[in-house]
Amino acid sequence: MAEEEGPPVELRQRKKPKSSENKESAKEEKISDIPIPERAPKHVLFQRFAKIFIGCLAAVTSGMMYALYLSAYHERKFWFSNRQELEREITFQGDSAIYYSYYKDMLKAPSFERGVYELTHNNKTVSLKTINAVQQMSLYPELIASILYQATGSNEIIEPVYFYIGIVFGLQGIYVTALFVTSWLMSGTWLAGMLTVAWFVINRVDTTRIEYSIPLRENWALPYFACQIAALTGYLKSNLNTYGEVYEVYKIYIFSLFLGYLLQFENPALLVSPLLSLVAALMLAKCLQLNVKKGSFVAKIIKVINFYLVCTLTITLNIIMKMFVPHKENGHMLKFLEVKFGLNMTKNFTMNWLLCQESLQAPSQDFFLRLTQSSLLPFYILVLIICFLSMLQVIFRRINGKSLKETVTLEDGRIGERPEIIYHVIHTILLGSLAMVIEGLKYIWIPYVCMLAAFGVCSPELWMTLFKWLRLRTVHPILLALILSMAVPTIIGLSLWKEFFPRLMTELMELQEFYDPDTVELMTWIKRQAPVAAVFAGSPQLMGAIKLCTGWMVTSLPLYNDDDLLKRNENIYQIYSKRSAEDIYKILTSYKANYLIVEDAICNEVGPMRGCRVKDLLDIANGHMVCEEGDKLTYSKYGRFCHEVKINYSPYVNYFTRVYWNRSYFVYKINTVISFQS
C-alpha cells in the first residue's frame, strides 16, 4: 500500500521535569524540535478561501431557500393572505393556539413589564386557577417575539401573525444551515451539507411538524439545538486527542444547566437529572485519576476502578440530590412506561388517552418505508455500522494499552478515533433508541440521521476505513475512497432530484384551501352573543382555539405537564360518557362553567383504533366496557350524555338549554337551578 509523502513528524513521550533547570531545558528542546511552518503558496490559500466561501454561501443559501419554501407552502396550503384574522387564527390548533394567544396578549399589554406580570400571574385563562404561563408553557419565545415586534417598529409595516410565523420560518432556515455546517465540518466537503439539506426537505414529514403546528416549542428549540451541535462538533474536531480540553465541555454543560434552572423558575427536575449526576461524577473521576504507565497491568486495573467509580458516584450523587432538592417523583412517567411496554394494565382514562396519541406510539411500518424510499435509511445504517465498529476497535486498542495516534491520516482508515465521530455515534444511537419507542421523538432523531448519513457517504475517511477491513489491494484504496466520496453523493443527489424535485414543485403550484366554516361560525357567535365573563367547557383542543380566537375563559387547556389540568380534562371529557345529567352538571358547575360545547366529531367518532376513541376510553375507565377477561361490567342506566342532551327531554332540559348549533358543534347554556329534579 502506497504511503503519502509529507514532512517527518517526531513523536516523543512527554515527561514531567523534576527541577526548574529541567523545565527550562525541556522548553528549549521542545521549541527547537518544532519545525518552522512554511508559508503556503498563494494558489493553495486561494483554493482554501474559495472552498470556504462557496461552502458558506451554499449553507446560507440553503437556509434561506428552505425558509422561503416554507413560507410559500404555508401560503398555498392555507391561502393565508386572503383570509380574515379569525380564519387565520383557526389554523393554529390545539396547544399551538395557546402559545400564539399569549403572544397576542403581550402585544395588547400597556407595557412589557405589565404583560410579563399578567402572564406569570395569569387568572384569566383557566377558571378557578392562577397559573404562571411563562413557566408552565415556556413562553420565552413569545416574550422575545413581542419585544422584537414593538422595538423594531414592525407594527407599522407587518401584521403580528406574519411577524410571528416569519421568525419561526427564519429559525427553520437557521436549523437547516446548522445541519449543513455540521455535516460539512465532519466530512470536510460542503457537498455533504447539500445532501443533508436534500434529505431533510424530502423527508420533511418525519423531520419537522412546522407545516401543521408552527408555534410548537420544538420549532423554536431545535434550531438552537442544531447550532449547539455544530459548535460542539467544531470544538471536538479542532481539539483532537486533547482530553483535558474536551473536559471543558462538562463545565459548559453544568453552566448551561444552571442557567436553565434559573430561567425555568428554579425547576428542580434539572437538578435531580441523572445526566447532571453523571457529568459531575465524570469530572470528579477525572480529578482523581492517577498518572501511570500506559499498557501496564496497574493501568488496566485503574481503568476498571475508574469505570466503577463513575457508576457509583453517579448513583450516589443522584440519590443525594433527590434527598435535599424538593421535587415531584416521576411516578406517572414510570407507570406510563410500564403500560407502554405491556408490563402493566390500567383503566385510567388519562394514561390510556396519552398512550393513544399518535406521537407517543411506536413508529409505524410506513415510517421506515418512507425513509427507505428516499435512500436515507440504508445509507444511514451503513455509515453507523462502519463508525460504530471503528469506534469499538479504538476502545479495544486503548484497553490493550496501545496509544492513539496524535494525527490520524486518511491512509490510516481509523474514523472511529475522531472525538466528534464518537460523540455523534453515541448521540444518534441514544436518540434513535428513544424514537423507536416514541414516534414523536423522530423529529429530533431524523435530522440527525440526514446529517450523519450525508457525512458518511461524502467522507473519504469512512470509505478508507471500510477498505482497510476488506484489505483491498486490486485498486489504490486512497484513490478509490476519494472517487467514491464524490461519486456516491453525486449519484444520490441526481436520483433524489429526478424523483422528488417535481413533487416539491407540484406542491408549491397547487393552491390548497383550509376550509372550516363551522368553527368560524362558532367563534363568531361566541364573540357576539356570549357574555364577556362567560366560562366555556369542552374538549381541550377546542378550548385552546376559543382562548385564542375569542379571549374568553375556559375550564381546561391542551397541556399535559400539569396534573390538575389533566384531571380537569378527564372530568370535562365525561360529557361523552354514559353518565347522568346530574353528574355532568355537578362536574361543570364545580369549575364555574357557564356554557358547554359538544363536538359531533367526538360524540360520533368512528376511527380505525376502536379502543382509542374518547368514548371507549371513558367507558373502560367507568366500567361500562370490558377491557380484559375477568373484568366486571358495570351496567349504566343512562345513555351517552352527548347523544341524550340533544334530544331535549327531562331531566336534561332542566340543567342545559341549547343556545346555538351547527353541523359540528352544539352549545348549551348551563342553567342556574336551585334543586335537582328527576
Side-chain angles (χ1 to χ4, degrees), residues 88-161:
R88 291 174 183 172
E89 291 177 349
I90 287 175
T91 63
F92 299 113
Q93 299 181 352
D95 49 350
S96 297
I98 297 298
Y99 299 127
Y100 184 73
S101 72
Y102 287 121
Y103 167 71
K104 282 181 59 180
D105 291 344
M106 282 298 299
L107 296 181
K108 294 176 183 176
S111 66
F112 177 76
E113 293 79 8
R114 183 63 187 174
V116 172
Y117 179 82
E118 289 179 353
L119 289 185
T120 54
H121 302 78
N122 187 281
N123 58 1
K124 298 179 181 179
T125 300
V126 183
S127 61
L128 302 178
K129 188 175 178 67
T130 299
I131 60 175
N132 183 340
V134 179
Q135 176 187 10
Q136 196 158 344
M137 300 172 216
S138 302
L139 294 181
Y140 286 108
E142 282 67 32
L143 297 182
I144 295 171
S146 64
I147 293 176
L148 291 176
Y149 183 71
Q150 294 173 335
T152 57
S154 300
N155 52 344
E156 301 175 358
I157 305 172
I158 188 173
E159 295 179 57
V161 65

Side-chain angles (χ1 to χ4, degrees), residues 172-209:
Q172 301 311 299
I174 294 174
Y175 189 11
V176 164
T177 300
L179 293 172
F180 184 112
V181 171
T182 305
S183 190
W184 179 16
L185 286 171
M186 294 173 66
S187 64
T189 172
W190 50 265
L191 190 62
M194 297 293 291
L195 186 56
T196 300
V197 175
W199 266 327
F200 182 91
V201 176
I202 289 168
N203 294 281
R204 70 185 189 281
V205 175
D206 300 303
T207 57
T208 178
R209 284 188 286 189

Side-chain angles (χ1 to χ4, degrees), residues 414-474:
R414 296 182 183 179
I415 197 168
E417 288 191 9
R418 291 167 51 183
E420 74 273 21
I421 302 300
I422 297 173
Y423 164 73
H424 284 295
V425 167
I426 295 173
H427 208 178
T428 189
I429 289 175
L430 291 175
L431 292 177
S433 301
L434 294 173
M436 291 302 101
V437 178
I438 300 175
E439 187 177 5
L441 295 176
K442 70 181 180 182
Y443 300 107
I444 304 177
W445 180 56
I446 298 300
Y448 226 103
V449 170
C450 297
M451 179 268 295
L452 201 66
F455 138 74
V457 297
C458 297
S459 173
E461 195 173 353
L462 182 129
W463 293 109
M464 192 63 201
T465 302
L466 179 61
F467 296 154
K468 273 280 189 177
W469 295 341
L470 298 176
R471 301 182 182 277
L472 186 66
R473 298 184 184 277
T474 55

